[in-house]
Amino acid sequence: MKKILILFLSVFTFYSCLDDDGPTYKYEYLTIDSAITPESFTYGEVDTIKIKYTLPNSCYAFDGLYYQKVDTTRIVAGVAIVALDVACTEEERQEEYAFPVKATQEEDYVFKFWKGKNDDGEDVYEEVVIPVNL
């Protein structure tokens, strides 16, 4: 009986310590302002792509890259973590991020850099085709 009581009190104590206020941050996609890509890839080798993105205020911090492979197409966007419970300065910051790409396919690569959404709520991309040298 003592063990059950101790277990119950432990669980109750644990749950009472949890924060029920909800998350204090969220994730958002960042539009790609520009991308610097190589003119071509060489099959089997690694090359670098650099993207520039803008953080709208001090509550935004770059958290990583959204990178989705669909056949020969690569969809690219930045991902930001946004603090919800702090005062933010309105200063925009443009930053740069470089990521490696290994050419593992013989077909041309089609990179679609996310530019945001249009008035109809549809995704808008800038497409860049990068040929592969064998």
Side-chain angles (χ1 to χ4, degrees):
M1 184 68 175
K2 284 185 179 183
K3 290 181 183 180
I4 293 174
L5 181 61
I6 291 173
L7 178 63
F8 175 74
L9 289 174
S10 298
V11 170
F12 179 74
T13 303
F14 173 74
Y15 279 109
S16 67
C17 293
L18 294 178
D19 184 11
D20 292 336
D21 293 337
T24 58
Y25 62 89
K26 67 178 180 174
Y27 292 96
E28 283 187 18
Y29 290 118
L30 296 169
T31 59
I32 305 297
D33 297 334
S34 64
I36 301 169
T37 61
E39 290 185 22
S40 64
F41 289 137
T42 300
Y43 182 78
E45 292 186 11
V46 177
D47 216 323
T48 301
I49 293 179
K50 293 181 184 177
I51 59 168
K52 289 185 181 182
Y53 56 89
T54 300
L55 299 171
N57 60 46
S58 66
C59 286
Y60 283 73
F62 185 74
D63 190 58
L65 191 69
Y66 175 83
Y67 187 88
Q68 180 184 14
K69 297 179 185 180
V70 180
D71 297 324
T72 60
T73 301
R74 305 298 184 262
I75 300 170
V76 180
V79 178
I81 188 166
V82 185
L84 300 176
D85 60 349
V86 296
C88 307
T89 63
E90 294 304 316
E91 181 180 338
E92 286 188 355
R93 299 180 325 270
Q94 188 175 63
E95 295 183 357
E96 190 174 277
Y97 180 77
F99 61 95
V101 176
K102 183 173 182 178
T104 58
Q105 67 188 36
E106 295 179 4
E107 300 85 7
D108 293 349
Y109 281 79
V110 178
F111 280 87
K112 295 173 78 172
F113 297 101
W114 191 66
K115 296 301 228 178
K117 293 192 179 274
N118 64 16
D119 293 337
D120 296 326
E122 299 169 342
D123 292 320
V124 177
Y125 300 96
E126 176 184 347
E127 289 190 20
V128 176
V129 178
I130 304 175
V132 177
N133 302 319
L134 300 177

